[in-house]
Amino acid sequence: MFICLENVNFTYNLHMPFETKALKDISLNINEGEFIGLIGHTGCGKTTLIQHFNGLLEPTSGKVYVEGLDINERGVNLRLIRQKVGLVFQYPENQLFEETIFQEVAFGPKKLSLSEDKIEKRVREALKMVDLDYNLYAERSPFSLSGGEMRRVALASILSIRPKMLVLDEPTANLDPQGRNKILSEMKAIHDNFGITVILVSHNMEIIAEIVDRLLVMHRGEIILDGPPREIFEKYADDLIKVGLGLPQVTRCMHELRAKGKEIYTGVLTVEDAEKEILDRVRKSNKQLKIKKG
Amino acid sequence: MIKIKNLGYIYHLHKKNQVKALDNISLEIKRGDFVSIIGSNGSGKSTLAKHLNCLLLPTSGNIWVNGMNTKDKDKVWAIRQKVGMVFQNPDNQLVATTVEDDIAFGLENIGVSERVMKERVHWALQVVEMEEYKNSEPHLLSGGQKQKVAIAGAIAMHSSYLVLDEPTAMLDPHGRREVMDTIKKLNKEENITIIYITHLMEEAAESNRVVVLDKGKIALMGRPEKVFTQVETLKKLKLDIPQITELALRLNQKGLDISPHTLKVEEMVDHLCLYV
Amino acid sequence: MKILRNISFGQYIPRESLIHNLDPRIKILSCLAIIISLFLITEFLGYLILGTIIMIGIIISQVHPKFVFRGLRPILFIIIFTLIIHLFMTEGEILYRLGFLKITKEGLIRGLFISCRLFILILTTSLLTLSTSPISLTDGIERLLSFFKFIGMPAHEIAMMMTIALRFIPTLLEETEKIMKAQISRGADFESGNIFNRTKNLIPILIPLFVSAFRRADELAIAMEAKCYRGGEGRTHFRQLKIRMVDILTFVLIGVITVMASVMF
């Protein structure tokens, strides 16, 4: 087990007039190598939750274990934890500050007091992971890049500390479809090729559901659903709608057909899924006649 | 009416490095219309938006708002009052420290009397359904609420056109819905002309007319159901197609009698009911 | 990081009290009168009178004293520091000797006196900011400054800058916290090292913060222009200020007390 949360509660402004409970009794296990989507509205506590993974926030009560170690105990070196759990905040391009992309990506490794050679090796490796050509980009200023590229540099600057787990808060926010697909496919590749545990945090169901293996749904500080996306879409669509998260268009379409008494599988994630399911059903039903050319 | 004729805009990155942001654009937007402008990053859609209320002036060609040319220096303020703007980042467009004062900001600028101002602020708050937040501080509102305040600020000035430059790009689905509902209400009930810039096809699908921009040129234009079925072209322009339209298209190719012009889930369900 | 969340100095607490409803101009002028007399008074008795006025003000304002005294917390260090400096650095009748340090009677009195002055000063300004919304505060300042327009005082511009600053302080604080956390996650360390290193460590926070502040400023300027902003000329005001009887009475009362206290003590 890589990360384990036990009955974690967190309250902002404890004992103050504006006290707000952000996390309510959260227990959660995350295994090494998982590819997880954490989904919920703005203000549901997902950003608060992920800050517990690397000790940026300390639970008001409850325990957080990373590789079996209680990270909020006295004497724990949180810097070591932060090397293992790489946290990428929303709009990470806003944290760039160095003169060149090389220095930007080398920031983390330098703090680890690695040799020059090793630092360079890591920068090369990290830039490759986000598909930026070292020779073309290393000496450019990060501020000369497009929004999507800046975001990938920011990602590389976390990857260069070689985390075992990568947590990304709204990695695709405010990107156009092309930039969005690029980031998502890179995350998938990082997970598949390097065995890094990845958690994608988002409020956008359509983007995440397709690629993750496990979905965590948060609402008002609690994890209300936890399971494979297909299963959640199939069985708990009502709950998703009730908390206002909505379903991808194709999934909604299947559910509405089901509501009209049609027998159809509703756990579809993509257009391909839906197409296959509908064609199957059409073939099975007796209305083949209506298929135009057969 | 807004009339754009042969609009071109060139900006200079460096002395010799010119970029043609807009290239020979002609477009007419009639009163009461709901037009969406889509395109990938760098297609020129924001540049076009800024031309509509004199924030940018054409390098070539002309724009007329209710017959007033945007190049006419005496008309700048009249045009800006007619054409309200809402921008992408909800945090960076609210000026005052309470909702009410922010909505009044534009009215103060055009010198409206206190009495009229009170009425208009009240009305605008009502239209966007934010009355209970009138004394709230903007930074405590949700993204969707902030955008509604920005919209209220624009309509309080009695603008007849509202240009929204990716107003939902930074919002969650709930905020998106709030903003979209508000805009549709303005269009229907207050007869405000909407010019909606986005890269989300699902949002563009709610408008009456879609203009697709690519590299500063109009690539496609027409009713949403006509534009979105040009899947190949849209994909080439690096744009998404609504899931439901793609599904309709695929099923249509497989021989099902489903119109490839399907944009809404409900239509799709009705079609499919005949089959399964 | 906690520091950023706990700033209460200058935070408005809405209540429906007499003090809250006073005209902001009157409140600002009264505070000015008290502050000026603070520097003119040379005896403790004078401070007792001013202190009493402020205490009465706090009670009338219905703001919980907790909030008022929280504003003192960041200043406490300065008050204690001033007290110590005066205790040891003033020549005079020696009360107590501690190695080469000596405490003098004059030092004790002087130190306590200056501490009282700071204490009342902070209480006064806290009461002003706690009981006056930022908006009416800037309105008040704008109207007061416009008396000096004839010597070229840019009253509107100053007020506009204040409004925008007030509007963006919470946003920028939030942003600072976020950038700090992001950099910590990337391996930055803000807690250890000597002063030189610590200062150097601020660069990863300051540069992104500046970049974002400039971008915000740019976008805000465009948004303001789009809403027909063109400076203070011909601008009307959404909020009208009216001087009522109670305002005049308060001002006269405070005026008389402060003048008398300054003259007598």
Side-chain angles (χ1 to χ4, degrees), chain C residues 202-217:
Chain C
L202 288 179
I203 292 173
I205 302 178
L206 292 178
I207 292 182
L209 200 59
F210 273 120
V211 171
S212 118
F214 278 117
R215 195 186 51 237
R216 282 180 197 283

Side-chain angles (χ1 to χ4, degrees), chain A residues 56-248:
Chain A
L56 281 174
L57 291 176
E58 197 179 323
T60 312
S61 70
K63 302 256 183 227
V64 179
Y65 300 95
V66 173
E67 293 188 318
L69 182 73
D70 181 347
I71 63 167
N72 295 303
E73 227 165 60
R74 260 167 190 274
V76 171
N77 186 350
L78 280 173
R79 298 190 65 192
L80 290 177
I81 302 293
R82 285 169 194 151
Q83 279 170 44
K84 286 181 187 155
V85 183
L87 208 62
V88 183
F89 280 85
Q90 195 172 5
Y91 305 121
E93 57 275 22
N94 292 348
Q95 75 196 18
L96 302 179
F97 70 98
E98 290 277 17
E99 272 174 60
T100 66
I101 290 171
F102 180 92
Q103 286 171 322
E104 198 68 64
V105 181
F107 178 76
K110 268 186 200 155
K111 295 279 170 189
L112 300 175
S113 325
L114 298 174
S115 68
E116 294 284 325
D117 293 353
K118 277 189 178 158
I119 292 177
E120 195 192 314
K121 195 169 156 245
R122 286 205 178 189
V123 173
R124 282 180 183 274
E125 176 190 276
L127 284 177
K128 201 172 169 208
M129 282 163 107
V130 297
D131 197 22
L132 291 172
D133 187 334
Y134 180 90
N135 297 322
L136 283 177
Y137 283 90
E139 292 311 314
R140 283 176 66 184
S141 158
F143 295 99
S144 69
L145 304 177
S146 76
E149 286 173 324
M150 275 173 93
R151 188 163 298 177
R152 276 148 58 203
V153 168
L155 255 170
S157 76
I158 288 274
L159 287 168
S160 63
I161 51 177
R162 288 196 184 156
K164 286 188 174 175
M165 177 162 112
L166 196 59
V167 186
L168 302 114
D169 196 357
E170 301 287 358
T172 62
N174 213 358
L175 292 181
D176 64 7
Q178 195 197 11
R180 183 191 71 205
N181 295 339
K182 183 99 192 141
I183 290 252
L184 288 177
S185 62
E186 273 159 18
M187 290 306 102
K188 181 98 181 110
I190 284 168
H191 170 262
D192 294 351
N193 303 338
F194 299 88
I196 294 176
T197 315
V198 178
I199 300 186
L200 298 179
V201 182
S202 177
H203 50 237
N204 197 329
M205 206 52 124
E206 249 161 82
I207 287 171
I208 280 199
E210 240 179 81
I211 62 167
V212 300
D213 304 323
R214 177 179 169 195
L215 207 55
L216 299 171
V217 182
M218 275 191 86
H219 182 59
R220 296 201 177 141
E222 288 173 274
I223 293 180
I224 54 164
L225 294 170
D226 179 356
R230 270 172 215 284
E231 199 183 306
I232 290 184
F233 280 11
E234 189 197 349
K235 294 180 186 153
Y236 304 103
D238 291 343
D239 298 271
L240 290 176
I241 293 168
K242 214 185 288 164
V243 301
L245 280 169
L247 299 168

Side-chain angles (χ1 to χ4, degrees), chain C residues 139-249:
Chain C
D139 269 352
I141 291 173
E142 179 174 3
R143 306 303 154 84
L144 285 175
L145 286 180
S146 52
F147 284 127
F148 300 102
K149 254 191 183 155
F150 66 92
I151 55 160
M153 175 73 81
H156 166 73
E157 283 75 7
I158 291 175
M160 185 48 84
M161 283 192 313
M162 283 180 59
T163 309
I164 291 172
L166 283 168
R167 158 74 187 79
F168 280 92
I169 282 171
T171 313
L172 289 177
L173 282 178
E174 227 168 78
E175 182 138 11
T176 312
E177 192 179 323
K178 216 184 112 184
I179 294 172
M180 264 177 98
K181 284 181 171 174
Q183 305 298 23
I184 290 174
S185 302
R186 279 170 79 188
D189 183 4
F190 302 117
E191 278 140 13
S192 52
N194 56 30
I195 291 232
F196 178 70
N197 274 335
R198 279 194 195 203
T199 320
K200 221 176 88 187
N201 285 344
L202 288 179
I203 292 173
I205 302 178
L206 292 178
I207 292 182
L209 200 59
F210 273 120
V211 171
S212 118
F214 278 117
R215 195 186 51 237
R216 282 180 197 283
D218 192 39
E219 287 181 17
L220 186 70
I222 291 176
M224 285 169 70
E225 214 180 314
K227 281 191 188 168
C228 297
Y229 181 73
R230 56 196 131 159
E233 223 156 294
R235 229 172 160 259
T236 46
H237 288 277
F238 179 61
R239 286 175 195 271
Q240 301 291 321
L241 298 179
K242 280 193 198 80
I243 300 275
R244 293 161 306 156
M245 205 52 195
V246 62
D247 295 312
I248 296 170
L249 286 177

Side-chain angles (χ1 to χ4, degrees), chain B residues 179-226:
Chain B
V179 171
M180 190 38 97
D181 288 345
T182 309
I183 291 166
K184 284 166 88 177
K185 181 177 165 191
L186 287 175
N187 183 241
K188 281 214 184 80
E189 291 173 17
E190 309 292 338
N191 196 30
I192 292 174
T193 314
I194 306 287
I195 296 126
Y196 192 89
I197 290 156
T198 181
H199 59 238
L200 292 172
M201 299 296 147
E202 282 175 58
E203 292 186 340
E206 312 226 18
S207 63
N208 302 330
R209 199 148 61 106
V210 181
V211 178
V212 184
L213 283 188
D214 180 48
K215 297 187 190 109
K217 288 192 175 120
I218 294 180
L220 287 169
M221 185 157 63
R223 296 196 58 80
E225 58 271 24
K226 288 275 173 344

Side-chain angles (χ1 to χ4, degrees), chain B residues 244-256:
Chain B
I244 229 59
T245 310
E246 199 176 343
L247 181 63
L249 223 78
R250 280 169 180 244
L251 292 174
N252 181 276
Q253 281 165 359
K254 287 274 154 57
L256 265 65

Side-chain angles (χ1 to χ4, degrees), chain C residues 1-237:
Chain C
M1 256 162 284
K2 273 188 181 145
I3 312 162
L4 298 180
R5 293 195 174 278
N6 287 344
I7 292 178
S8 93
F9 182 66
Q11 221 173 48
Y12 171 58
I13 309 278
R15 294 275 184 282
E16 276 302 318
S17 80
L18 182 72
I19 302 271
H20 280 72
N21 290 331
L22 283 177
D23 188 288
R25 286 169 292 186
I26 297 299
K27 278 194 268 192
I28 295 169
L29 288 177
S30 304
C31 282
L32 271 180
I34 293 177
I35 290 167
I36 291 168
S37 67
L38 265 180
F39 287 90
L40 294 176
I41 289 170
T42 48
E43 284 174 44
F44 276 107
L45 198 59
Y47 282 179
L48 189 69
I49 295 172
L50 293 185
T52 317
I53 298 180
I54 292 301
M55 288 303 172
I56 294 172
I58 292 172
I59 293 166
I60 300 176
S61 75
Q62 293 169 22
V63 171
H64 199 284
K66 180 169 87 179
F67 292 109
V68 185
F69 289 100
R70 190 178 298 148
L72 276 173
R73 226 184 280 162
I75 315 294
L76 210 58
F77 169 76
I78 298 173
I79 295 183
I80 293 172
F81 185 72
T82 326
L83 184 64
I84 291 173
I85 289 283
H86 279 99
L87 269 185
F88 294 118
M89 296 303 182
T90 317
E91 294 295 327
E93 188 185 326
I94 291 163
L95 290 178
Y96 189 76
R97 200 181 272 279
L98 196 86
F100 64 96
L101 294 170
K102 51 189 192 301
I103 295 174
T104 63
K105 188 181 165 195
E106 284 77 4
L108 184 66
I109 293 171
R110 188 90 198 118
L112 280 176
F113 192 74
I114 300 288
S115 304
C116 275
R117 180 185 288 174
L118 279 171
F119 186 72
I120 298 174
L121 184 77
I122 301 303
L123 281 191
T124 314
T125 44
S126 292
L127 181 60
L128 176 68
T129 51
L130 284 168
S131 72
T132 319
S133 70
I135 272 213
S136 49
L137 205 56
T138 39
D139 269 352
I141 291 173
E142 179 174 3
R143 306 303 154 84
L144 285 175
L145 286 180
S146 52
F147 284 127
F148 300 102
K149 254 191 183 155
F150 66 92
I151 55 160
M153 175 73 81
H156 166 73
E157 283 75 7
I158 291 175
M160 185 48 84
M161 283 192 313
M162 283 180 59
T163 309
I164 291 172
L166 283 168
R167 158 74 187 79
F168 280 92
I169 282 171
T171 313
L172 289 177
L173 282 178
E174 227 168 78
E175 182 138 11
T176 312
E177 192 179 323
K178 216 184 112 184
I179 294 172
M180 264 177 98
K181 284 181 171 174
Q183 305 298 23
I184 290 174
S185 302
R186 279 170 79 188
D189 183 4
F190 302 117
E191 278 140 13
S192 52
N194 56 30
I195 291 232
F196 178 70
N197 274 335
R198 279 194 195 203
T199 320
K200 221 176 88 187
N201 285 344
L202 288 179
I203 292 173
I205 302 178
L206 292 178
I207 292 182
L209 200 59
F210 273 120
V211 171
S212 118
F214 278 117
R215 195 186 51 237
R216 282 180 197 283
D218 192 39
E219 287 181 17
L220 186 70
I222 291 176
M224 285 169 70
E225 214 180 314
K227 281 191 188 168
C228 297
Y229 181 73
R230 56 196 131 159
E233 223 156 294
R235 229 172 160 259
T236 46
H237 288 277

